[in-house]
């Protein structure tokens, strides 16, 4: 759709918009996460709204609003459950990613987060372990540094929350999570679980405050990731797990003030 828009091909934009909205409207309710469900589709809708503005098509806005409403209702239901029953918490498959998608939709549409989104953020903030990090799931004390289940994802959530809500506490949480993320070791080079994803967490802090130390961390991690040799655990031509994501990071470091994890943040 974005390629068609760049080519001023209105017919192709409409055709691809229809396809996207059909897929989004048909997303099963039991799939709310970023990787395979409504939150990921909402992130895509937010990116499309921003890129197609100021003439974002009405059907796209309506579809995004329905996805956001579905996730907000899910958040409201989660708030009524015991915190220990929430399950996965991270960015890829859990509540961190759902909260992030809802904030991105607010950011893209210029709307304020509602009470349920604010309450979800408060709940998630309270789930930190005593050491200041977030576990992979409720009832667990296992902590990962990467984006998918760990601190790199939390750093991006809290940076976005600070940006959208002007939340000073969120800024502090983002810094704590990013400090853990940039200490990543032996998790591989990729965006999802490894060094490239941790580098984007550092870049989110750099963009937020301009502190060169975060840019230094991002460059260090990118350099380490770029030295990896493609293989079974680091496939060629793969965005999230392989060398394509690392290559994108290296290009974006040429203009770090606009670097953003693909589809997850805006440039």
């Amino acid at each position: 759709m974005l390629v068609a828009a760049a080519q001023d091909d209105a017919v192709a934009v409409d055709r691809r918009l229809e396809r996207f909205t059909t897929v989004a409207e048909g997303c099963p309710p039991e799939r709310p996460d970023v990787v395979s469900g409504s939150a990921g589709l909402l992130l895509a809708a937010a990116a499309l709204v921003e890129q197609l503005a100021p003439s974002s098509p009405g059907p796209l806005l309506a579809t995004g609003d329905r996805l956001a409403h579905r996730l907000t209702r899910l958040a409201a239901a989660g708030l009524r459950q015991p915190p220990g029953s929430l399950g996965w918490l991270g960015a890829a498959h859990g509540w961190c990613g759902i909260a992030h998608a809802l904030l991105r939709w607010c950011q893209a549409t210029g709307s304020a987060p509602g009470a349920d989104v604010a309450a979800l953020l408060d709940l998630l903030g309270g789930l930190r372990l005593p050491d200041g990090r977030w576990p992979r799931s409720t009832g667990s004390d296992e902590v990962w540094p990467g984006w998918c289940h760990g601190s790199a994802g939390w750093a991006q959530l809290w940076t976005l929350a600070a940006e959208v809500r002007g939340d000073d506490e969120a800024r502090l949480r983002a810094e704590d999570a990013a400090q853990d993320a940039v200490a990543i070791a032996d998790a591989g080079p990729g965006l999802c679980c490894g060094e490239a994803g941790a580098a984007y967490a550092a870049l989110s802090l750099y963009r937020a405050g301009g502190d060169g130390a975060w840019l230094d961390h991002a460059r260090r991690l990118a350099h380490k990731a770029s030295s990896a040799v493609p293989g079974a655990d680091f496939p060629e031509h793969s965005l999230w797990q392989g060398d394509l994501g690392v290559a994108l990071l290296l290009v974006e470091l040429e203009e770090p003030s606009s670097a953003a994890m693909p589809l997850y943040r805006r440039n």
Side-chain angles (χ1 to χ4, degrees):
M1 192 187 306
L2 296 180
V3 172
Q7 296 173 334
D8 293 324
D9 187 342
V11 173
V13 168
D14 289 344
R15 185 166 59 247
R16 289 172 179 126
L17 173 62
E18 182 178 1
R19 182 177 180 184
F20 174 79
T21 54
T22 298
V23 170
E25 298 284 1
C27 181
E30 64 271 17
R31 290 186 178 177
D33 65 325
V34 164
V35 167
S36 64
S38 300
L41 290 162
L42 185 59
L43 286 169
L48 291 169
V49 164
E50 289 171 338
Q51 293 296 322
L52 298 176
S55 57
S56 297
L60 175 61
L61 291 167
T63 294
D65 281 338
R66 281 191 283 272
L67 289 169
H69 180 65
R70 177 190 297 183
L71 291 173
T72 300
R73 285 191 290 110
L74 181 68
L79 291 167
R80 294 192 294 270
Q81 303 300 317
S85 66
L86 289 176
W88 295 114
L89 295 178
H93 303 290
W95 291 96
C96 172
I98 291 171
H100 189 104
L102 287 167
L103 288 174
R104 278 289 292 122
W105 185 245
C106 291
Q107 188 179 49
T109 58
S111 56
D116 287 330
V117 176
L120 175 60
L121 291 169
D122 289 341
L123 173 63
L124 295 176
L127 293 176
R128 276 198 296 184
L129 297 172
D131 64 5
R133 299 179 294 171
W134 279 266
R136 290 183 67 198
S137 63
T138 52
S140 169
D141 59 2
E142 184 180 7
V143 174
W144 284 18
W147 171 79
C148 55
H149 284 290
S151 296
W154 289 103
Q156 296 217 46
L157 170 65
W158 298 122
T159 304
L160 180 60
E163 189 176 333
V164 173
R165 302 179 69 212
D167 186 340
D168 290 336
E169 177 63 24
R171 289 188 180 90
L172 297 175
R173 290 171 181 167
E175 291 175 1
D176 289 344
Q179 287 288 0
D180 188 61
V182 298
I184 193 168
D186 302 323
L191 284 177
C192 182
C193 311
E195 293 142 3
Y200 272 115
L203 285 169
S204 71
L205 270 292
Y206 172 71
R207 287 182 57 177
D211 185 343
W214 292 115
L215 181 55
D216 290 341
H217 281 303
R219 286 174 170 157
R220 171 181 58 80
L221 289 163
H223 176 74
K224 184 178 179 183
S226 67
S227 67
V229 177
D233 296 324
F234 184 49
E236 289 186 291
H237 314 309
S238 170
L239 177 64
W240 290 99
Q241 298 285 356
D243 62 350
L244 185 57
V246 175
L248 176 63
L249 170 63
L250 293 172
V251 171
E252 291 213 290
L253 277 168
E254 296 175 7
E255 296 289 343
S257 61
S258 62
M261 192 160 180
L263 295 178
Y264 204 61
R265 290 296 307 267
R266 72 177 181 189
N267 292 100

